[in-house]
Structures are given as C-alpha cells and as structure tokens.
Amino acid sequence: MDAQPEINLAEFIDHALLLPGATADQVTQACLEADRFGFATVCVYPVHVRQAVDLLHHKRPGVCTVIGFPTGATTSATKLFEAQEAVENGATELDVVINLGWLKMGETDKLHRELAQICEETDRTVKAILEMTVLTESEKKLAAEVCLDAGVSFLKTSTGWHGGATVADVKLLKQITKDRVGIKAAGGIRTVEQAIELILAGATRLGTSRGPELIRQRDRLDKEKSQKE
C-alpha cells in the first residue's frame, strides 16, 4: 500500500446511488457528497438525472446514468430512447448494459449496432457494462472487442447485481484495451485497499456507493502513517 499517497482516489470515483427505492432526498445527499469530495461523477437512475444536473450545475462532478440497467435485455430502440432522453436531461456519461443473450448466442452484429448507435447519436461518454462475472474468458474477450469496435469510451466490469469487480478482470481489460479506452471497475468495492489495488491493476474509474467511506478510510490511513513517521 505504499502507492496510496500518490493516488487522488476521489478523482476515480463514480458515486453511485442505484437503489431501486432511491428518493429525491437521497439524490440530493449523493450530489452534495460528490461535490464535497470532488468525485468524477454521481451515478443515478435516469429518472433522477435532471435533479442531479440542477444540483451540480457549474460544479466539478458530472452526471452519469445507467441505460438498460440492470439486465441489458430491453430492445435497442428502448435503450436508444432512454439514452437520448438522459442526454436531453443533461447526463454527461451513460453506463449501458450490453445484451448478454446476444453475446452468448454469437449475435455480435446486433450488439455492435446497438452500442454504435448509442455512441453516435448521443455523443457522450459511453461505458459498456460487460457483467464479467457471468461470462466465460472467451466471452469476456469477445465482448470487449465488440464494444471497442462500437466506439465506447470505457469498458465497465459489472453492474454489481451479480458480483463485483476483480483485479483479474481489470487486468484482462487492461491487456485487451491497451489504454485505448478507460476501464471502470464496479461492484463490491468496500475498502480503500481494494480500491487502490483495482487502480493499480488498470482501473481508471471506480463505481461504488461507498465513496465517502473510502475517502474517510484513506484519510485515517494517511493520518496513522504520518503519526508513525
């Protein structure tokens, strides 16, 4: 953990509020936290995008939302409309769940076309959610290549609904992408040690609902270290 002081953890964090029952008050709290800690974005459901955009107007964090979440099994037309509406409401980043059924059936042309259309017609940062915990090694590689060809800006490991990010998966994406796009590790990130390990493996963004807790953990570790020196 010697590398910790060299990493500004807050800049990596997409502060996620993706509870099905999230309220307007919770969205407000998440936005205040994102601004206070200097997170990259706050990530909310599409229904909360406009509120988050209003709260974060002229502030550092962007507003990220999820498309086709959490299954990716809605139609391409539905995903495109959802993405376009989110952009109209002010979203700056779109985390799009890929159609896992198409991937497993080898219908990669449909998968490519769906993502490429969203990328082209929204002109926003698109992160493709691969849900790597339910894929084989060959499927992970195939999904990553298709998404890269479609023009996404990030590959994201997981929704967090079927397990979370692993160092091994981040390293695999790092190897495949060769720094052409960002890598977002998401799901199950509970400790600052885990967060740093994922960053060192190649993650350029972290999706977590525990951003403030991670920063406080980091501050405690820094304080303990300085007291020992």
Side-chain angles (χ1 to χ4, degrees):
M1 300 307 294
D2 292 340
Q4 279 195 45
E6 301 173 7
I7 296 174
N8 184 344
L9 189 59
E11 293 180 350
F12 286 82
I13 292 176
D14 284 351
H15 187 31
L17 176 61
L18 297 173
L19 298 171
T23 65
D25 286 345
Q26 288 174 309
V27 173
T28 296
Q29 180 64 28
C31 290
L32 290 172
E33 289 170 342
D35 181 40
R36 174 187 172 190
F37 291 103
F39 295 146
T41 73
V42 63
C43 186
V44 296
Y45 280 113
V47 71
H48 300 303
V49 165
R50 191 180 294 275
Q51 179 190 355
V53 168
D54 289 344
L55 288 167
L56 292 171
H57 187 57
H58 291 318
K59 299 185 182 300
R60 180 185 182 279
V63 176
C64 175
T65 194
V66 287
I67 305 298
F69 191 89
T71 68
T74 49
T75 66
S76 294
T78 299
K79 283 184 182 176
L80 180 60
F81 178 83
E82 188 176 31
Q84 290 173 324
E85 185 179 46
V87 169
E88 289 173 4
N89 286 334
T92 56
E93 301 189 4
L94 308 170
D95 286 18
V96 182
V97 187
I98 69 169
N99 189 310
L100 297 168
W102 285 347
L103 177 68
K104 288 181 175 292
M105 290 187 291
E107 296 181 349
T108 54
D109 56 335
K110 292 181 180 179
L111 184 60
H112 181 279
R113 186 162 55 247
E114 178 176 276
L115 285 170
Q117 189 173 25
I118 292 173
C119 291
E120 291 168 6
E121 299 199 22
T122 62
D123 194 29
R124 289 295 186 274
T125 296
V126 172
K127 309 190 198 86
I129 306 178
L130 307 185
E131 204 68 285
M132 296 178 78
T133 58
V134 301
L135 302 181
T136 64
E137 286 299 300
S138 61
E139 287 170 345
K140 292 174 184 179
K141 294 175 182 177
L142 178 59
E145 292 293 353
V146 171
C147 293
L148 286 172
D149 288 344
V152 302
S153 300
F154 280 78
L155 297 179
K156 178 177 173 181
T157 60
S158 325
T159 61
W161 287 49
H162 301 282
T166 68
V167 168
D169 280 339
V170 170
K171 286 183 176 179
L172 177 63
L173 293 180
K174 174 79 169 176
Q175 178 185 355
I176 294 169
T177 62
K178 296 180 173 61
D179 297 322
R180 287 175 287 172
V181 299
I183 297 171
K184 179 173 175 179
I189 303 173
R190 295 180 173 84
T191 68
V192 67
E193 291 86 0
Q194 187 182 8
I196 297 298
E197 191 175 13
L198 289 165
I199 292 170
L200 294 177
T204 56
R205 199 73 71 82
L206 303 175
T208 178
S209 61
R210 296 178 172 86
E213 180 183 338
L214 293 176
I215 299 302
R216 293 186 187 105
Q217 286 182 32
R218 176 65 175 272
D219 289 345
R220 284 196 300 271
L221 289 171
D222 287 347
K223 185 177 180 179
E224 290 171 3
K225 181 178 178 181
S226 64
Q227 289 173 343
K228 292 177 181 178
E229 292 176 347

